[in-house]
Amino acid sequence: MTQSSTQKLAIMGSTGSIGCSTLEVVALHPQRFQVHALIGGQNWELMLSQVLRFEPAVAILADHDSAEHLQRALQSHSLPTEVLSGSEAITAMAQDNAVDVVVAGIV
């Protein structure tokens, strides 16, 4: 990968302190980083604001009910973000070939 290439990120724990700090860096360097996936636990409200700002291809919440809330909240926006839930979706995203860098800010 050349220096001018945009790196696609999957941010695990995007709604936590490490994830939020990572997104601040991404916002400062949009020419270097693109958010491919945001992954969180239950905080669908914060995830909603992150999805609206960074427009990832995928948003995953560990909690199924929270993911349903996020999906409903996104229906009024015309974003192509796919909303998934559960540990299998999280594991699959960590291994996705579309992702260049996985930031793991989770326990």
Side-chain angles (χ1 to χ4, degrees):
M1 180 178 306
T2 64
Q3 271 191 318
S4 63
S5 296
T6 302
Q7 292 187 335
K8 291 186 179 181
L9 306 178
I11 303 174
M12 303 175 95
S14 71
T15 59
S17 61
I18 294 170
C20 288
S21 295
T22 301
L23 288 172
E24 288 176 21
V25 172
V26 170
L28 292 172
H29 302 282
Q31 71 285 0
R32 293 190 60 200
F33 303 109
Q34 176 188 0
V35 177
H36 179 75
L38 293 172
I39 303 162
Q42 297 179 344
N43 191 343
W44 68 268
E45 293 99 341
L46 179 53
M47 177 69 76
L48 174 62
S49 68
Q50 293 175 344
V51 168
L52 293 175
R53 182 172 183 192
F54 293 97
E55 301 182 5
V58 181
I60 304 171
L61 287 165
D63 179 69
H64 179 73
D65 291 337
S66 298
E68 286 183 353
H69 284 292
L70 177 63
Q71 180 69 53
R72 282 193 297 273
L74 284 171
Q75 285 177 349
S76 63
H77 302 277
S78 58
L79 295 177
T81 301
E82 180 180 15
V83 177
L84 303 172
S85 65
S87 60
E88 289 179 9
I90 294 169
T91 301
M93 185 51 58
Q95 300 171 6
D96 192 319
N97 288 334
V99 175
D100 297 312
V101 176
V102 175
V103 177
I106 59 174
V107 285

